């Protein structure tokens, strides 16, 4: 593959910071991400944000098929050149957030892995969309800013623990599999990144009402500094008595704050709330 900088000049492409365009070129790094994602010849992959296609190429060499979404059509000449000769790639030039998930999953057909160096400005909405709504996604291996990575994998009673940690932890298992220094990107971003692998495990806590859990999480982290009892009163408009009764039934001390509850406890609490709300 021709040097990225000369290609960019040749195709008259200019990086758009607003689209989170920080590209990777190191083939060893890219191959190791593909390996750590567990991609093999039976895997169908969805890549979000192809950039100049370096990760796409590493994926296509190993996977059965790669479906890619790229918002910036001006990358087409670069991608056409870099991915020529690989016949298992299908690219859609579209904002991934504008694609209907059910249509995307119909097109992809099989169960699939998401593998992506995500644009930082939209990491959380993309991630939550797939975690909460996608039916056929088996795992997501994503490069994100290191600070976001820490939030995705954190444990209760830490500063990094928050709504997104609990949402992911309720249906999946997440771990950091690689740290990637900012020097690896062109252009170089301000902060380091990390690769997080999230394996879906939808039944890990049995069945529960996802809507009520979502509300419970919002309620608990609405105002992190407040006790759960106060947040329950504010968010659900329960009286003090009802709020404290719910906490007692869920086996949670009423002075506790949301960030002290394990994911399992959050699910228990959401079940009691559902019961009380009827
Ligand atoms: N995969 C490439 C790599 O690793 O070098 C590029 C990663 S770069 C961090 C993110 C890419 O996502 C950019 O190419 C950007 O144009 C694209 N992108 C940004 N927002 C997008 C969106 N909403 N839908 C699809 N692609 C998007």
């Amino acid at each position: 593959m021709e040097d990225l900088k000369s290609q960019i000049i040749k195709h008259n492409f200019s990086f758009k910071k607003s689209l989170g365009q920080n590209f990777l070129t190191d083939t060893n790094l890219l191959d190791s991400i593909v390996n750590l994602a567990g991609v093999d010849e039976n895997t169908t992959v969805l890549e979000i944000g192809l950039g100049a296609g370096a990760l796409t190429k590493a994926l296509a060499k190993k996977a059965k098929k790669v479906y890619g979404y790229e918002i910036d059509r001006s990358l087409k000449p670069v991608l056409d050149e870099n991915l020529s000769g690989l016949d298992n790639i299908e690219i859609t030039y579209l904002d991934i957030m504008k694609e209907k998930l059910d249509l995307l999953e119909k097109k992809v057909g099989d169960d699939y892995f998401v593998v992506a160096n995500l644009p930082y400005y939209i990491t959380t909405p993309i991630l939550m969309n797939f975690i909460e709504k996608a039916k056929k996604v088996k795992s997501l291996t994503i490069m994100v800013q290191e600070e976001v990575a820490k939030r995705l994998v954190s444990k209760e009673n830490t500063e990094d623990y928050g709504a997104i940690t609990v949402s992911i932890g309720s249906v999946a298992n997440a771990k950091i599999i690689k740290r990637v220094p900012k020097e690896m990107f062109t252009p170089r971003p301000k902060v380091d990144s990390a690769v997080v692998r999230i394996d879906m495990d939808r039944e890990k806590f049995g069945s529960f009402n996802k809507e009520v859990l979502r509300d419970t999480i919002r309620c608990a982290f609405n105002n992190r500094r407040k006790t759960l009892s106060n947040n329950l009163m504010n968010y659900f408009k329960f009286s003090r008595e009802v709020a404290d009764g719910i906490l007692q039934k869920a086996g949670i001390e009423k002075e506790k704050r949301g960030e002290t509850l394990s994911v399992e406890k959050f699910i228990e609490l959401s079940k009691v709330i559902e019961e009380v709300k009827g």
Side-chain angles (χ1 to χ4, degrees):
M1 194 153 128
E2 198 182 334
D3 157 61
L4 178 63
K5 284 198 179 116
S6 12
Q7 258 196 342
I8 296 298
I9 296 166
K10 182 167 81 188
H11 293 291
N12 209 8
F13 173 77
S14 48
F15 288 100
K16 294 166 198 73
K17 207 175 167 203
S18 62
L19 292 179
Q21 290 181 340
N22 305 97
F23 297 170
L24 292 170
T25 49
D26 186 300
T27 47
N28 288 333
L29 169 66
L30 292 160
D31 286 342
S32 93
I33 294 172
V34 174
N35 280 332
L36 290 166
V39 171
D40 64 25
E41 69 278 8
N42 300 313
T43 316
T44 298
V45 177
L46 171 68
E47 189 194 352
I48 301 161
L50 309 194
L55 178 58
T56 323
K57 192 172 186 171
L59 286 165
K61 281 192 292 180
K62 277 219 135 181
K64 180 165 101 181
K65 174 101 187 175
V66 180
Y67 291 88
Y69 279 75
E70 172 54 60
I71 195 171
D72 187 356
R73 192 169 261 283
S74 73
L75 282 163
K76 187 170 185 309
V78 182
L79 284 166
D80 284 348
E81 182 179 325
N82 286 340
L83 303 176
S84 69
L86 291 162
D87 58 5
N88 59 343
I89 305 171
E90 192 175 316
I91 303 178
T92 307
Y93 289 93
L94 185 70
D95 177 348
I96 188 69
M97 295 305 285
K98 295 215 170 106
E99 182 66 304
K100 289 212 169 66
L101 256 185
D102 52 344
L103 293 182
L104 182 152
E105 296 205 323
K106 214 178 209 172
K107 177 163 85 180
V108 170
D110 302 329
D111 287 349
Y112 58 95
F113 293 10
V114 170
V115 183
N117 174 10
L118 285 179
Y120 72 91
Y121 75 100
I122 199 179
T123 302
T124 305
I126 292 177
L127 187 55
M128 289 322 294
N129 198 31
F130 279 91
I131 298 270
E132 289 180 346
K133 301 192 189 125
K135 296 199 171 68
K136 294 185 177 175
V137 67
K138 286 176 80 177
S139 76
L140 302 99
T141 299
I142 50 167
M143 171 100 68
V144 295
Q145 295 186 332
E146 193 167 27
E147 159 208 332
V148 177
K150 285 187 191 149
R151 275 198 267 135
L152 303 185
V153 305
S154 63
K155 292 272 171 280
E156 63 269 24
N157 290 310
T158 63
E159 245 182 67
D160 291 325
Y161 190 69
I164 195 164
T165 329
V166 182
S167 301
I168 293 175
S170 66
V171 288
N173 303 307
K175 59 173 187 273
I176 292 179
I177 53 173
K178 201 173 196 60
R179 293 198 156 73
V180 182
K182 50 184 180 293
E183 291 75 24
M184 302 300 287
F185 297 85
T186 308
R188 186 186 296 184
K190 288 208 175 73
V191 295
D192 294 331
S193 289
V195 182
V196 179
R197 176 166 162 171
I198 302 171
D199 289 306
M200 298 306 296
D201 185 2
R202 294 175 175 84
E203 301 301 321
K204 68 191 271 201
F205 291 117
S207 69
F208 57 87
N209 185 322
K210 297 208 164 53
E211 301 277 311
V212 182
L213 178 65
R214 206 175 304 153
D215 272 344
T216 308
I217 294 170
R218 261 191 217 137
C219 156
F221 291 106
N222 207 15
N223 197 331
R224 288 181 79 101
R225 312 288 1 136
K226 285 199 171 159
T227 62
L228 276 168
S229 175
N230 282 336
N231 273 336
L232 283 173
M233 288 171 65
N234 287 338
Y235 191 91
F236 291 105
K237 308 292 171 220
F238 292 136
S239 66
R240 168 76 64 201
E241 201 186 348
V242 171
D244 288 351
I246 287 172
L247 291 171
Q248 192 182 25
K249 189 149 186 215
I252 300 165
E253 289 161 37
K254 60 184 180 190
E255 295 309 320
K256 289 254 179 196
R257 284 182 281 125
E259 66 203 47
T260 66
L261 298 191
S262 65
V263 175
E264 197 167 10
K265 254 311 177 214
F266 259 103
I267 292 171
E268 258 178 77
L269 176 59
S270 74
K271 286 181 176 168
V272 181
I273 292 173
E274 188 181 14
E275 238 175 78
V276 171
K277 280 173 45 134

